[in-house]
Amino acid sequence: MDKRLVIDRVSFSLNGRDVVGTTHPGERLSAFLREKAGARDVKVGCDAGDCGACTVLVEGEIVCACLMPAQQAEGREVETLAGLNDDALMAALAKSFEAHGAAQCGICTPGMMVSAIALLRGTPRPSEAAVMDALGGVLCRCTGYRKIIEAVMAVGAEIDAQDPEGHTGAAIQRLDGADKVTGRERFGDDIAPPETLVVRVIRSPFNRAGFSFGNLEGWAASTSGIEAFLTSADIKGKNCFGVIPAFADQPVFAETEARFRGEAVAAIVGTPDAVRTFSDEDLPIRWEERPAALTIAEAMSNGAQLHEGRDGNIMCGGFVTCGLPDDALKAADVAVEGHFTTSFVEHAYIEPEAGFAEMIGGRVEVHACTQAPVMDLDSLEEILGLDRTQIRVVPTGCGGGFGSKLDISVQPYLALAALKTGKPVRINYSRTESMQSTTKRHPGEMTVRIGATHDGKLCGMVFDGLFNTGAYASWGPTVATRVPVHASGPYAIANYRADAKGIHTHCPPSGAFRGFGVPQAAIAQESLFDELADKLGIDPLEFRITNALQNGDRTVCGQVFEHGVGIKACFEALQAAWDAERAAAAVVNAQGTAIKRGVGVAGGWYGCGNTSLPNPSTIKAGVRADGQIVLHQGAMDIGQGANTVIAQIFASALGVPTTSLELIGGDTDVTPDAGKTSASRQTFVSGNAAKLAGEALRATILAQVNASEASKITSGDGALALRDG
Ligand code: FES
Ligand code: FES
C-alpha cells in the first residue's frame, strides 16, 4: 500500500472567519473542523453518515461533515453551532431547547440545532411534519425526539417563567443546559489538544484465537511516528479488571489467547498521521484461529472452558423460590408454557468511548466519558500498580451510556500510554470498535410455565433462564441474581421458582443495560400472561389488575412493601385508554385488510440501586469565604438530569434558591464518591445524601449565629446572610 501523504491546502470561511490549512485526500471535513479549525462543537458519532452528530451548514445547506472531504469546502462558507451562537434565531432556538428539556446528554444537540436552523431560516413557523423531516438525519438516543420537535416548533413563543427557588418538584431548566445548547460541553474526545499522540488498540479479528508477537520493538523503532507499543508486559499491576471484584476476569490485554472478536491484545501510540496510516497487517503478530463457542448450547456442551473454575462455562447463578410451585402448576385450572429467546442489544450511545490522559506532577490524569469515575479509579489502581493518590480521574461530558459506560473501556489504555511515553495521549473508539469491544444486553434463553385459577388469580410460576454473558463476567452476576428476584413481574404469586445462570461464550461481554436482565424476563412472563388471560377469557388488563401487587402483599422473595406500591393504580389509570384503543383497533380489523392493529399492555419492575449490596453515596457541600455555597456533586449526569435534580434536593434542604449554588462535578481529587450512575439509583440514593448534606449545612450555619429554624439563608454579594423567618 502506498502510504505517502499527499498534502493539499484548503481555505474556506468558518463561522465568518477565514480558515486556511493543509489537508490530505480523504480527510473528512468533520476531522478538519475539529482538529485544525478548533470547532470541537462539531461532534462525531459514527463517521459513516448515519447519526448526524456532525451536521454543519455548507453554503446554508445541511451536510454530514463526516461524509464531505475537507477539500470540498474550498472557497465555501461553513457554519457550525458555536458560530451561530450570536445569531438571534439560534439564541431563540437555544432558549427553546433549554425550556423544553430538548438537550439531555447533549451529544446530538449541535447536529440537531444546526439542522433546525437550516429549516427555521426558510420556514419560521414549521409544521410538525416539516420539523420531523428536517431533523430526520440526526439521531438522538436520549429524548425520544418529542421534546426536540416541540422545542423547534415553539421557537419565539413565550417561555414560562421559572420558579425562583427551583426546589424539589419545580420543573426547572437543566442547570447544565447552557453548555449543551451552545456546543461548549466537552465530551470524551473534546479535551485533547490537536496533534496529541493517539492510542490505537489492536484487537483480535477472530472469535477465539491464540496469538504471538514478532519483533515489536524493531517494528516500533523502524516505523516513523510510532512512539510506543503496549502489551500485557507493560502492566505493572494486575492484568485484570471487572466491575464486581469477586468476578473480575477480563484482561486489559489478552496474553496468549483472545476470547472474543474485538478483544484487545496490544496498542500502539503514535502521531495522528502515523496512526491514521497504520494498518493492522503492519504489526508483527501471528494468529491461530481456534474453535469458538458462540451460543449458550455450544458453550455448555462441548465448548472450550473459558475460565478456570467455571465448569460448563457457568459463570454463576441465582435462585429464588417460595411455596410449592410444581404442585401449584399441577393444580392450576389453566397453565401455559413458553420458550423465549432474546438477542444481544447494543447500547448505541451517540458518543463512542473516548478520552485523554497526561502526566501532571508525576501523577497520571485520565479524562474520559464514564458512568462511574471512582470505580474507574479503583480499576486503574489495580491495573497500574500505583497508589491511588498517583491517579486522578476527571469525567468528561458523557454522550449517553445506558449502562455500558459503567465498565472501563479506554481508561487503562490512556493511562498506560501516558505513563509509558510521559506525553499527553488521546483515544477515540471508532463506532465499529465501540460495538465490538464494549458490553451488550445479555441474550436470554428462557423457559417459563405459569398457572392460574378460573377466577384469573395466578397460582404458580416456574422460570428457567440462561443468559449469554460473553467472554467475561462484567455485570453478568447481577443479571443472574436479579432476574430470579424480578421474573415474577410486579404481581403476587404465592408459589414460585426462578433459576437463572450466566453462561460464558466467545462473544463480547454482556453487561449492564436498563434492568439487568429483567426486561428479557418480562418479555416471557408478560407474553404468557396474555396467553393465560386469553385461555381464561379474561381481559388482559383486568388480568393484570387482578394480580398486581398491593401494599402489604408479599413478593416472591418474601419482602413486604408497606406503602408506595402503585402498579395497580397505574394499570387502573390505563382503563379508559385501553378501552378506546381496543375499540379503535376492532374497527380497523373489521375492515378485513391485510394490515391489522394490535393493542397491548405490560407491566414491569426492578429494584432501584445495587442488587443485594450496599448503596452508598457521599455528597460534599460547604460555604466559601466569599459566601458562595458550593455543592460537590459526583453523581454522573449522563443526560438523565442528576446535576439538576440533586442540586434541587440539596437547595431545598438548605433553603436557598437552586440557581444560587456553585456546582462542582465529578473529579476524584476533589469530589467524593456518589457511587455509579446505574439502576436508577442517583435521584433516590445521591438525592437523599444531598438532602442530608443540605440539612446538615443548614443546621451548622444556623448554629454559628444562633439563628432560628425559620431563618432564611441568602448567598451573594460576597457574603452569606441570614434573615429571621
Ligand atoms: S453522520 Fe457524521 S458522525 Fe455520524
Ligand atoms: S440528548 Fe440526544 S443523544 Fe443524548
Side-chain angles (χ1 to χ4, degrees), residues 102-109 112 139-143 148 350 399-400 402:
Q104 285 189 220
C105 80
I107 190 76
C108 72
T109 308
M112 284 289 182
L139 299 180
C140 177
R141 273 287 281 116
C142 301
T143 62
I148 295 173
I350 304 297
F402 315 114

Side-chain angles (χ1 to χ4, degrees), residues 679-705:
S680 306
R681 64 180 291 282
Q682 291 297 17
T683 299
F684 185 74
V685 180
S686 294
N688 270 309
K691 178 171 178 285
L692 294 174
E695 289 168 353
L697 184 58
R698 180 175 176 84
T700 304
I701 292 169
L702 298 186
Q704 292 282 325
V705 291

Side-chain angles (χ1 to χ4, degrees), residues 378-651:
D378 295 341
S379 295
L380 289 176
E381 182 185 13
E382 293 276 318
I383 292 164
L384 303 178
L386 289 175
D387 189 278
R388 66 197 285 120
T389 58
Q390 297 306 300
I391 308 164
R392 180 184 186 191
V393 175
V394 186
T396 64
C398 187
F402 315 114
S404 191
K405 289 179 183 170
L406 286 164
D407 298 60
I408 56 169
S409 56
V410 297
Q411 294 86 346
Y413 308 116
L414 287 166
L416 288 165
L419 282 161
K420 186 157 184 175
T421 63
K423 296 179 181 173
V425 294
R426 71 191 296 185
I427 194 169
N428 182 29
Y429 281 2
S430 67
R431 176 58 57 183
T432 303
E433 199 174 13
S434 171
M435 292 180 78
Q436 275 189 338
S437 66
T438 62
T439 60
K440 310 280 166 274
R441 181 182 287 286
H442 283 73
E445 296 279 344
M446 297 161 284
T447 300
V448 187
R449 288 180 291 145
I450 310 179
T453 51
H454 276 310
D455 57 0
K457 287 251 174 64
L458 289 164
C459 61
M461 174 171 174
V462 173
F463 175 100
D464 275 298
L466 298 174
F467 293 86
N468 182 343
T469 203
Y472 299 105
S474 180
W475 294 94
T478 306
V479 168
T481 52
R482 187 173 274 226
V483 165
V485 172
H486 293 93
S488 64
Y491 304 99
I493 305 179
N495 302 288
Y496 173 86
R497 185 174 69 244
D499 195 321
K501 292 185 180 66
I503 308 299
H504 283 299
T505 63
H506 292 101
C507 292
S510 299
F513 198 161
R514 176 51 73 205
F516 294 95
V518 178
Q520 292 94 307
I523 289 171
Q525 164 258 309
E526 289 287 330
S527 299
L528 289 182
F529 274 22
D530 280 348
E531 276 188 43
L532 268 179
D534 196 39
K535 286 195 168 180
L536 288 162
I538 297 175
D539 175 88
L541 179 60
E542 186 191 331
F543 182 80
R544 287 166 172 86
I545 290 171
T546 301
N547 291 290
L549 283 169
Q550 300 184 64
N551 288 341
D553 282 349
R554 194 170 288 278
T555 72
V556 291
C557 289
Q559 187 176 10
V560 177
F561 298 116
E562 297 297 348
H563 56 85
V565 181
I567 187 68
K568 187 173 181 189
C570 289
F571 281 132
E572 286 170 345
L574 290 175
Q575 190 71 58
W578 173 253
D579 293 341
E581 290 298 328
R582 299 262 287 184
V587 171
V588 171
N589 296 338
Q591 291 165 2
T593 55
I595 296 175
K596 304 292 183 198
R597 184 183 294 179
V599 182
V601 61
W605 71 336
Y606 66 89
C608 162
N610 301 337
T611 309
S612 313
L613 291 169
N615 255 302
S617 177
T618 307
I619 294 286
K620 180 170 104 178
V623 184
R624 278 208 307 254
D626 63 0
Q628 177 62 53
I629 298 164
V630 180
L631 174 64
H632 286 259
Q633 200 296 92
M636 282 309 301
D637 192 324
I638 60 171
Q640 86 281 29
N643 283 338
T644 304
V645 74
I646 291 172
Q648 282 186 280
I649 294 168
F650 171 78

Side-chain angles (χ1 to χ4, degrees), residues 211 213 216 229-236 239 252-255 265-268 283 416 420:
F211 64 90
F213 296 112
L216 281 175
F229 64 87
L230 301 166
T231 66
S232 60
D234 293 288
I235 295 173
K236 303 284 185 277
N239 183 22
V252 176
F253 293 115
E255 297 185 8
V265 299
I268 60 165
L283 205 69
L416 288 165
K420 186 157 184 175

